[in-house]
DNA sequence: CCTACCGATCGGTAGG
DNA sequence: CCTACCGATCGGTAGG
């Protein structure tokens, strides 16, 4: 449910193209990835892909749109819960890390290649992202107001949190000295104790 | 001295090309930026630029190399100081933020476009980056050993710090509600208090 | 520093 | 799903 890409053995040809594209877009960047390279990964000629997709841009659009939707769904769930601000924030961080480690290629593309979206979907994506940030900022603000959080500058705290989370896709490798749970515990610890009012 | 790009009124044509290129590379990405666009910003024909530079790749190489050098110089200074680990870490974070806000385009390009470097300079860049990370990790490790820092996972702490700093170039705008000093204070606060041993 | 131009490669289409 | 192919654009060179 919090998976960006579809699962199961029998995925459609279209899903396969999307997933191979996401991997290549992450690895080489959207502009530097050619349709011929994607086709090679899928195992067909470049021209044949156009029976399943409309354009290269459409691939990027779908990847970004699904990622945005996943984040919004997560935010909806947590925001409507009855947790206190600090616990909402904590839940969001955990959920964010979990989504990222599970869909690392897709998230990476949405985070780094969205500026190459064509105008209409670019606008939509930016709006979704801005709304997400506003809602997270509101949670931080509430936390400060009810004295659960230290009196940091809201937008600096916001971006410090998002930065720490967004960069997971850059350096996280599942086969490291720590697993996704360790990652979660450590990051939550560093961020939350830094934000928590000590006095 | 900690400036990546050269200052002064009378910069050479080459420096002008490099700086315009850095701005465009940050804005559109290296691959999506054309030599014709850079030329237009400089005010000449694309072909004319080749009297000042060798290739498009050379522009990226020089930008990345200068940024890497700046960071290494900064690390050398702080590492050889007689500060305690926690104060070294703090000094590094402050210096890092200062360098970033002063050379935002160049730093952004080095952080996001380095993978498009040609093989030889790619190797050099990666090595410089890895060494930098190792040295920073060593500072964190010392801080944990002498009980100045909490017992976090070193590499997770390392990347959480670097992430928070690297993303400044994405969202920092000098004309915001806070200036570079505010930014410094707030980030140092969030990160350090999260790392500092509370007991 | 410009005009003229080139080989390579790109995203995408026609037609089967 | 493939073969054949096209218009556009790219980084870069020749020659002045």
């Amino acid at each position: 449910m919090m998976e960006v890409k579809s699962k199961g053995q029998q995925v459609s040809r279209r899903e396969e193209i999307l997933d191979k594209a996401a991997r290549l877009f992450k690895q080489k960047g959207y502009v530097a990835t050619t349709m011929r390279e994607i086709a090679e990964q899928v195992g067909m000629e470049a021209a044949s892909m156009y029976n399943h997709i409309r354009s290269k841009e459409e691939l990027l659009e779908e990847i970004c749109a699904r990622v945005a939707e996943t984040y919004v769904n997560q935010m909806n769930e947590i925001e409507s819960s009855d947790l206190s601000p600090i616990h909402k924030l904590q839940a969001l961080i955990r959920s964010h890390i979990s989504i990222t480690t599970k869909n690392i290629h897709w998230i990476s593309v949405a985070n780094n290649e969205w500026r190459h979206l064509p105008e209409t979907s670019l606008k939509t994506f930016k709006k979704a992202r801005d709304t997400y940030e506003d809602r997270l900022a509101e949670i931080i603000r509430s936390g400060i107001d009810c004295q659960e959080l230290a009196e940091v500058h809201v937008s600096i705290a916001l971006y410090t949190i998002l930065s720490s989370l967004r960069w997971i896709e850059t350096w996280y490798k599942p086969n490291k000295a720590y697993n996704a749970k360790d990652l979660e515990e450590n990051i939550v610890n560093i961020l939350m104790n830094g934000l928590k009012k000590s006095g």
Side-chain angles (χ1 to χ4, degrees), chain A:
Chain A
M1 215 185 70
M2 277 305 183
E3 296 290 320
V4 170
K5 58 181 193 286
S6 66
K7 276 282 170 75
Q9 303 280 48
Q10 183 59 15
V11 282
S12 74
R13 218 67 167 128
R14 185 165 213 277
E15 290 300 320
E16 201 186 336
I17 293 171
L18 278 166
D19 205 58
K20 298 295 187 193
R23 275 163 205 276
L24 283 167
F25 290 167
K26 176 192 160 91
Q27 196 189 115
K28 319 190 51 171
Y30 172 74
V31 184
T33 301
T34 69
M35 295 306 278
R36 282 154 179 85
E37 287 171 324
I38 301 172
E40 199 193 338
Q41 289 291 313
V42 178
M44 55 169 76
E45 292 303 313
S48 305
M49 288 200 296
Y50 290 88
N51 289 301
H52 303 99
I53 60 156
R54 247 186 290 262
S55 64
K56 187 186 179 187
E57 281 182 341
E58 193 198 44
L59 294 175
L60 184 61
E61 284 181 316
E62 186 138 347
I63 292 168
C64 290
R66 288 201 207 168
V67 168
E69 201 202 337
T70 307
Y71 279 123
V72 170
N73 286 344
Q74 164 220 229
M75 175 64 87
N76 288 341
E77 249 180 62
I78 291 172
E79 202 181 53
S80 66
S81 74
D82 56 359
L83 296 169
S84 75
I86 200 173
H87 287 111
K88 276 185 184 168
L89 185 53
Q90 206 160 326
L92 213 76
I93 293 173
R94 284 180 193 280
S95 164
H96 207 116
I97 293 173
S98 160
I99 291 174
T100 303
T101 52
K102 277 184 202 144
N103 310 280
I104 208 153
H105 304 99
W106 290 62
I107 267 74
S108 179
V109 172
N111 278 339
N112 300 309
E113 307 296 328
W114 58 267
R115 65 182 155 174
H116 297 113
L117 285 167
E119 210 192 315
T120 311
S121 46
L122 178 63
K123 251 187 213 160
T124 310
F125 184 84
K126 275 181 169 171
K127 204 159 142 186
R129 187 199 55 183
D130 289 349
T131 305
Y132 182 86
E133 288 178 359
D134 287 346
R135 292 168 78 181
L136 180 46
E138 188 47 43
I139 294 176
I140 296 172
R141 200 170 293 114
S142 311
I144 296 173
D145 285 349
C146 71
Q147 308 213 338
E148 284 187 333
L149 298 176
E151 283 188 11
V152 289
H153 203 299
V154 174
S155 78
I156 297 179
L158 169 68
Y159 288 118
T160 302
I161 294 169
L162 288 181
S163 302
S164 308
L165 301 180
R166 274 185 191 159
W167 274 84
I168 293 172
E169 36 94 350
T170 310
W171 45 265
Y172 179 67
K173 304 259 176 349
N175 51 334
K176 272 264 185 113
Y178 44 82
N179 56 30
K181 254 295 171 259
D182 285 339
L183 190 66
E184 214 173 287
E185 292 313 317
N186 274 267
I187 294 183
V188 168
N189 241 333
I190 294 172
L191 288 177
M192 295 308 294
N193 289 342
L195 288 167
K196 230 178 263 175
K197 198 160 195 169
S198 46

